[in-house]
Amino acid sequence: MPLLKSWVESANAADCPFPLNNLPYGVFSTGTLQPRCGVAIGDVIFDIKTAESAGLIAVTDGAVFAKPGWNAFMALGNTHWVALRKRLLELLAEDSDEKDVLSELLTPMSDATMHMPFQVTEYTDFYASRNHAFNVGTMFRGAENALPPNWLHIPIGYNGRASSVVVSGSDIRRPWGQLKGPNDDLPRFAPSQRFDIELEMGAIVGNPSDGPLTLQEADDNIFGYVLLNDWSARDIQAWEYQPLGPFQAKATATTISPWIVTTAALEPFRCDAPEREYDLLDHLKDTGPMLFDIDLRVTLAPEGQDASTIAETNYNVMYYSAAQQLAHHTTSGCSMRAGDLLGSGTISGPEKHNRGSLLELSWGGKEPFTLETGETRNFIEDGDTLNLEGRAKGDGYVIGFGDCIGKVLPALDDPYNRS
Ligand code: CA
């Protein structure tokens, strides 16, 4: 599909992350506007709440965008998703008749503060990149036992914490936790020394469901995608994870990018999952291309210094699609709600520079890597700013997600001192 031209000139640049083809959904505020739903177009944000009250868009008879979040709209289902996108494409297209009225509903992105685009009702995190699972398994259990026996048959995951999900730009405080290093006789309570990122994509469930979903139903129920950084304390994780999986190691924060890029905008970038070593059981068997070709990049900027690229990969390396994760999630009868967030799991490709975590990039801290500033890293240091970037490349346009950024602040001297 070629670039769709808009009367918002900045949206027509070949490298603009928010062309008319994208139309991602977020929540923004300014000094004079309370938080509200908006759509990114070029370098401005279109105020959906005001457009609805002015009668320029009518999703239903009532006000869908009265609250600052996209959950109510998501829950309306695919017919309404298609209708709103169609209306926005008309209003913002180059030949729109409504330019003069609409111009007053645009806010420069540079004046806006971004908020959580939706209320995260539940958060589940998966482990679906074969290279990542193999790398981590090799470090923890040796290459012979790297992939757990279930791994090639089900997309394994665990239930995370919706309360820990924050929007891009939120500072991240280095956590304290219980740790036990190889030379410690007993565990101790201390700040994490092996604090890390996980480069992931987050899939957002739109349609609620109550019972098992087919793979096609699961794919249809995914409203859109965000970038997701699942901050991880590796030393806390190593001590606590057996036998029930990660707990406090993953509960500090998970950062998401502020714009929901809809599945509709990503349609031209669909691609197949990799070859299967074993046929998947029927309810998980691939029925069409349900992964997406999205270039991904991680940068790290030490305090006061320029950012270095530390990893580059693509979402297309995943072994399981978000649709397969959602279908698997519902097999037990588990109900899903609008705003359910599914983390893909760390996305690592086959080469060293494709690894989506510092744990892998430094091979458990044994092989420090060098930044463009000349500094080296094993894990995150205080003052480091980590950012994730995602881009799908179309014919003369790109689809971007916005930043997924967080700065790591030093651990508190005493986390129980409330003065
Ligand atoms: Ca994760």
Side-chain angles (χ1 to χ4, degrees):
M1 176 185 283
L3 170 74
L4 302 173
K5 286 207 167 173
S6 171
W7 54 267
V8 178
E9 273 301 321
S10 57
N12 299 328
D15 60 350
C16 174
F18 306 118
L20 186 58
N21 305 60
N22 194 346
L23 299 177
Y25 300 146
V27 170
F28 73 104
S29 66
T30 67
T32 51
L33 294 177
Q34 292 295 307
R36 61 193 53 219
C37 291
V39 179
I41 177 77
D43 58 6
V44 294
I45 304 172
F46 177 55
D47 179 344
I48 283 277
K49 178 187 161 93
T50 306
E52 181 180 57
S53 28
L56 287 162
I57 55 167
V59 173
T60 66
D61 293 341
V64 177
F65 298 112
K67 288 186 184 168
W70 285 82
N71 299 62
F73 175 71
M74 290 194 270
L76 291 174
N78 302 60
T79 307
H80 290 88
W81 307 349
V82 170
L84 178 64
R85 183 171 170 86
K86 183 165 175 280
R87 180 64 178 147
L88 289 169
L89 285 168
E90 283 169 9
L91 290 173
L92 295 167
E94 195 174 30
D95 57 0
S96 169
D97 298 328
E98 324 257 7
K99 290 178 206 175
D100 294 342
V101 187
L102 296 173
S103 298
E104 294 176 17
L105 302 181
L106 301 181
T107 297
M109 262 180 208
S110 53
D111 292 349
T113 300
M114 299 306 297
H115 303 269
M116 282 292 293
F118 64 105
Q119 185 201 350
V120 180
T121 50
E122 309 270 359
Y123 167 43
T124 308
D125 194 25
F126 288 87
Y127 189 56
S129 151
R130 185 166 186 169
N131 291 293
H132 172 72
F134 184 80
N135 288 339
V136 173
T138 301
M139 276 183 261
F140 281 47
R141 293 179 293 275
E144 294 297 302
N145 302 307
L147 281 189
N150 54 7
W151 201 91
L152 294 166
H153 302 278
I154 49 171
I156 58 179
Y158 68 97
N159 288 305
R161 288 289 304 178
S163 65
S164 68
V165 183
V166 298
V167 74
S168 175
S170 306
D171 288 337
I172 308 299
R173 177 73 67 183
R174 181 183 296 275
W176 286 66
Q178 192 172 122
L179 338 160
K180 184 176 175 298
N183 301 320
D184 296 332
D185 291 333
L186 290 169
R188 59 204 168 84
F189 187 65
S192 169
Q193 295 303 304
R194 292 161 73 90
F195 198 49
D196 198 359
I197 58 153
E198 291 191 332
L199 164 62
E200 303 193 27
M201 295 291 299
I204 302 155
V205 174
N207 291 316
S209 61
D210 185 15
L213 295 171
T214 66
L215 191 56
Q216 186 58 54
E217 287 168 338
D219 192 54
D220 292 343
N221 283 2
I222 296 172
F223 179 71
Y225 291 80
V226 288
L227 301 170
L228 185 151
N229 179 357
D230 189 29
W231 303 91
S232 298
R234 303 301 181 189
D235 36 11
I236 298 172
Q237 184 179 354
W239 172 236
E240 73 176 2
Y241 89 106
Q242 299 197 69
L244 292 183
F247 186 50
Q248 291 303 286
K250 307 276 190 172
T252 300
T254 296
T255 301
I256 61 168
S257 51
W259 295 107
I260 304 170
V261 174
T262 59
T263 307
L266 292 172
E267 284 299 329
F269 307 100
R270 281 184 180 268
C271 57
D272 290 317
E275 286 291 301
R276 305 291 172 192
E277 196 158 318
Y278 299 96
D279 279 348
L280 296 173
L281 295 181
D282 283 347
H283 65 290
L284 294 176
K285 198 169 274 178
D286 297 275
T287 54
M290 292 183 183
L291 275 178
F292 298 94
D293 180 358
I294 301 170
D295 286 332
L296 300 167
R297 190 160 85 104
V298 183
T299 64
L300 187 160
E303 179 94 63
Q305 298 193 60
D306 290 340
S308 300
T309 297
I310 60 170
E312 289 180 289
T313 184
N314 191 296
Y315 184 46
N316 64 12
V317 301
M318 299 305 276
Y319 198 77
Y320 295 105
S321 63
Q324 282 165 322
Q325 293 171 332
L326 175 55
H328 174 58
H329 208 315
T330 63
T331 47
S332 57
C334 178
S335 59
M336 306 298 291
R337 292 184 274 181
D340 247 294
L341 176 65
L342 310 183
S344 60
T346 308
I347 305 168
S348 293
E351 306 295 331
K352 188 167 181 180
H353 70 275
N354 303 142
R355 296 173 182 168
S357 67
L358 276 65
L359 176 72
E360 292 164 272
L361 288 165
S362 71
W363 206 251
K366 293 187 178 127
E367 299 172 13
F369 60 93
T370 305
L371 305 176
E372 288 158 32
T373 58
E375 291 180 47
T376 58
R377 285 290 183 280
N378 283 317
F379 291 96
I380 299 171
E381 297 195 1
D382 291 341
D384 285 351
T385 296
L386 279 299
N387 194 16
L388 312 183
E389 295 167 24
R391 287 190 156 212
K393 288 193 192 123
D395 178 11
Y397 72 97
V398 294
I399 297 287
F401 291 76
D403 283 331
C404 183
I405 199 165
K407 179 177 179 178
V408 174
L409 306 181
L412 297 171
D413 290 340
D414 175 359
Y416 293 103
N417 180 356
R418 297 190 176 90
S419 62

